[in-house]
Amino acid sequence: MLFSLITGVLTARLLDPDDRGLLALAITVSSVGFLISSMGTNHAVRTFQPKAPWASLRTYLRLTTLLLVLNLIIVSSVLTVFVLVGFTDFSINIIIISLLGAFTFLGSQMLDLFNAVGRVSLSAFANTIGHFITMVVLVGIYLLDATSHPLMGALCAYVTGFLVRILAMIVFIKRFKVDLGTVSADKGKSLLRNGIRFWGIGLGQTLTFRSDQLFLGFLSNAYNLGIYAVAVTPASLMQVVSNSIGQVAYREAAAGTMTVQKYKKFLSISLGITLIYGCLIWISAPWLIPFVFGSDYADSVVIVRTLLIAELLLSPYLITVRVLAGYNRPYISSASGILGFVTLAVVLSILVPVHGALGAALGSVVAYGVMLLVVGVGINKTFKRQEVPSHMGGI
């Protein structure tokens, strides 16, 4: 959380709102490219690796190298569209963003490799190292004023961070003797087939979480995207707790050790911490945002406060959707994200042309509320179907 916050501050200080908007676009395209090209294999390996031989880690890695080609095609195609519509010009930055997309894909796939075997702490450690390196490179650029092209420098910082993540995880695999198993007889076909069932989980969520910025890019301008991206930085830090607890909850559900009591405890801890953080940011936002990010981003204050409401709705969702995935309930999990994206697309199409960045924030509140409602119904039905002793209660 600390490294991400400092990184957000540094990019806001290095870049004007227009360039900050282009950086947000690069990160968004890379994230969406990962979710599309992963074909749900990252979720499938986490659900089935504890039980199914065909979901071995070596099979998963082999499939990942093949899907990398798809990732490069998708990211390049999306960037080409943005160049053709005039949002940005073709330059060396476009090539760097394509490289960022590839490293984001490989790094994210490998993070879920450790999550699949229950080594969540190693995954989190590698991810933290990547955030730290990104921050260090940005600090160097900021202090030394080492580049006349700050956007290029910021992009290279993110590329370096994901490269270090990949290298760290390769070292961890050898250092901790992670058993990769053998390539399955079907060469990954079963993993891919089951992955497609889970595809909508990550794809729907990422489209929902990121399409607000994509819609701002299409329907508004780089300035609105820039101040929105800055507002997202302190608000999205609230997701760290829910995501961390959600990783553990996913493994417990996949391994068959989840109980109603554990689920309620996970929700209570996550919501309690995020509520305290949200209240502090809400109160301090009017002076904190201009002081930390610069006076150019003073318009972000009202957007931050609106996004805090959205993040409170997202807190229980991020845990619940992972528990459903661990229970092998991909359809309700996917439906929540896809319905959230459809809701967001409709609301943003109406609000963004009129209200700009604030319209995007309001759209997120509505979409996250719909997503939470869907998974709430799903987890209720799932627990009722489990053969749970009466003393465990119900939902």
Side-chain angles (χ1 to χ4, degrees):
M1 290 178 66
L2 175 64
F3 300 152
S4 296
L5 178 60
I6 295 175
T7 294
V9 172
L10 288 170
T11 54
R13 292 287 185 176
L14 281 168
L15 307 174
D16 58 35
D18 285 351
D19 279 350
R20 188 63 179 78
L22 291 173
L23 177 62
L25 175 66
I27 297 171
T28 298
V29 170
S30 298
S31 300
V32 173
F34 155 62
L35 265 301
I36 295 175
S37 54
S38 68
M39 303 288 283
T41 55
N42 57 320
H43 287 282
V45 75
R46 295 176 65 182
T47 301
F48 296 105
Q49 192 274 337
K51 313 160 195 160
W54 49 262
S56 72
L57 300 182
R58 196 173 297 277
T59 303
Y60 173 66
L61 288 175
R62 180 182 184 277
L63 200 54
T64 293
T65 58
L66 297 176
L67 293 174
L68 176 61
V69 178
L70 177 61
N71 174 265
L72 291 170
I73 294 173
I74 291 171
V75 172
S76 299
S77 299
V78 173
L79 292 175
T80 299
V81 171
F82 274 97
V83 171
L84 291 177
V85 300
F87 187 86
T88 185
D89 298 325
F90 180 80
S91 64
I92 186 65
N93 289 337
I94 297 297
I95 299 174
I96 298 175
I97 295 173
S98 298
L99 188 62
L100 175 62
F103 284 173
T104 299
F105 171 75
L106 290 174
S108 300
Q109 286 283 94
M110 291 187 69
L111 287 173
D112 275 328
L113 179 151
F114 287 99
N115 291 330
V117 294
R119 304 301 295 269
V120 180
S121 59
L122 287 179
S123 174
F125 185 45
N127 199 30
T128 302
I129 292 173
H131 282 295
F132 174 73
I133 294 299
T134 300
M135 181 196 71
V136 168
V137 175
L138 286 171
V139 167
I141 294 173
Y142 182 76
L143 293 179
L144 300 177
D145 192 21
T147 177
S148 57
H149 304 285
L151 177 59
M152 183 187 301
L155 289 170
C156 289
Y158 278 89
V159 169
T160 304
F162 274 100
L163 176 59
V164 170
R165 281 177 178 85
I166 296 169
L167 296 175
M169 285 182 284
I170 292 174
V171 172
F172 290 166
I173 289 173
K174 296 180 179 179
R175 171 68 177 80
F176 295 98
K177 296 181 174 59
V178 177
D179 183 11
L180 300 178
T182 58
V183 177
S184 62
D186 64 1
K187 308 297 183 183
K189 291 180 181 178
S190 295
L191 185 59
L192 182 60
R193 183 171 59 252
N194 282 279
I196 292 174
R197 294 172 55 232
F198 285 85
W199 199 10
I201 299 177
L203 182 58
Q205 289 178 41
T206 300
L207 286 175
T208 306
F209 300 159
R210 294 292 188 178
S211 60
D212 48 0
Q213 299 185 42
L214 286 175
F215 271 90
L216 270 175
F218 279 117
L219 300 176
S220 188
N221 52 52
Y223 173 80
N224 269 316
L225 182 54
I227 63 172
Y228 186 84
V230 164
V232 167
T233 300
S236 62
L237 288 179
M238 295 170 68
Q239 298 176 21
V240 173
V241 175
S242 301
N243 280 325
S244 301
I245 294 175
Q247 304 293 8
V248 179
Y250 196 141
R251 174 68 181 183
E252 296 242 2
T257 57
M258 175 62 73
T259 64
V260 175
Q261 277 79 7
K262 284 184 180 180
Y263 171 72
K264 289 180 177 179
K265 184 177 181 180
F266 288 152
L267 288 188
S268 299
I269 294 172
S270 173
L271 191 57
I273 296 174
T274 53
L275 181 59
I276 293 171
Y277 173 85
C279 290
L280 292 175
I281 296 298
W282 180 285
I283 294 170
S284 61
W287 63 267
L288 181 66
I289 300 301
F291 175 76
V292 173
F293 295 96
S295 58
D296 288 343
Y297 297 96
D299 290 342
S300 295
V301 173
V302 65
I303 304 168
V304 169
R305 284 179 162 175
T306 306
L307 287 174
L308 290 175
I309 300 172
E311 294 295 336
L312 283 174
L313 294 172
L314 198 60
S315 174
Y317 172 82
L318 290 173
I319 295 175
T320 304
V321 74
R322 286 180 169 87
V323 172
L324 286 170
Y327 274 128
N328 193 16
R329 301 288 188 270
Y331 299 119
I332 188 68
S333 304
S334 299
S336 68
I338 294 171
L339 186 58
F341 171 67
V342 172
T343 302
L344 189 67
V346 173
V347 175
L348 293 191
S349 298
I350 298 171
L351 295 181
V352 168
V354 180
H355 300 287
L358 178 59
L362 291 170
S364 296
V365 174
V366 176
Y368 295 172
V370 170
M371 293 163 65
L372 179 58
L373 179 62
V374 173
V375 296
V377 172
I379 197 66
N380 185 49
K381 291 182 177 179
T382 298
F383 277 127
K384 282 183 177 179
R385 290 173 184 170
Q386 304 299 315
E387 293 184 359
V388 184
S390 58
H391 72 275
M392 289 186 177
I395 293 181

